[in-house]
Amino acid sequence: MKRYILPCMMGLALTAGPAFADESRTPPPTEPYYAPQPSGCDLVRLKIYFEPGTATLTPFAKDAIGQVSEQLAGCSVQRLNATAIAGDSSSEAPVVGLAENRRATVMAELQAQGIRASDVAMNTDLGNSVMSRTVDIELQTVPARVS
């Protein structure tokens, strides 16, 4: 008789365990869930500064592009305007090349962060001061649609 009591008790414990586990779960919500709308799907302007005479992104510039990428989660970039300004060179030919290299560096980082646009406009501005060493980005965005 003792041989049968212990296995019977184990069998009852194993079969009753799931019933007690269901009671400890939280019930499903009774109201519908609405996903929050993305808040950053508007015109976004970003100004990336460079060290004099270089086309290398600073750590601060990389962080700024990363923050814009996070801000645009859930948004679709419709148009991207990139204006490269380089006024920190002594002659016009190096200025144009430096501005284009800066713009290419910024565009590569934007793509690496997942920011792509269906329409891209690129401009070059020969700045008139030594402090003119930026790439100005303007992103026109709308909430992304899932079809």
Side-chain angles (χ1 to χ4, degrees):
M1 177 89 164
K2 289 182 182 179
R3 274 194 269 175
Y4 297 114
I5 292 177
L6 185 59
C8 287
M9 295 298 280
M10 293 287 283
L12 288 173
L14 290 175
T15 58
F20 292 122
D22 286 343
E23 291 177 9
S24 66
R25 293 184 186 160
T26 57
T30 57
E31 295 182 18
Y33 173 76
Y34 297 100
Q37 292 294 320
S39 60
C41 294
D42 282 328
L43 182 65
V44 176
R45 289 189 174 105
L46 179 64
K47 187 177 286 265
I48 302 296
Y49 288 93
F50 289 87
E51 294 291 325
T54 67
T56 305
L57 289 175
T58 63
F60 180 77
K62 288 183 180 183
D63 289 343
I65 292 172
Q67 288 176 357
V68 167
S69 175
E70 290 174 11
Q71 177 186 348
L72 295 178
C75 300
S76 173
V77 180
Q78 299 295 308
R79 181 164 174 78
L80 186 148
N81 295 325
T83 303
I85 304 169
D88 56 335
S89 186
S90 58
S91 64
E92 186 174 315
V95 170
V96 173
L98 183 59
E100 290 174 354
N101 289 341
R102 288 175 175 168
R103 185 178 56 235
T105 301
V106 171
M107 295 302 289
E109 184 64 23
L110 287 171
Q111 287 187 351
Q113 292 288 336
I115 300 174
R116 292 173 181 79
S118 54
D119 185 19
V120 178
M122 297 189 193
N123 302 310
T124 303
D125 184 5
L126 304 178
N128 56 4
S129 75
V130 176
M131 294 302 291
S132 300
R133 52 180 194 260
T134 64
V135 174
D136 298 335
I137 304 293
E138 188 175 277
L139 302 163
Q140 296 173 356
T141 63
V142 295
R145 288 184 287 179
V146 179
S147 309

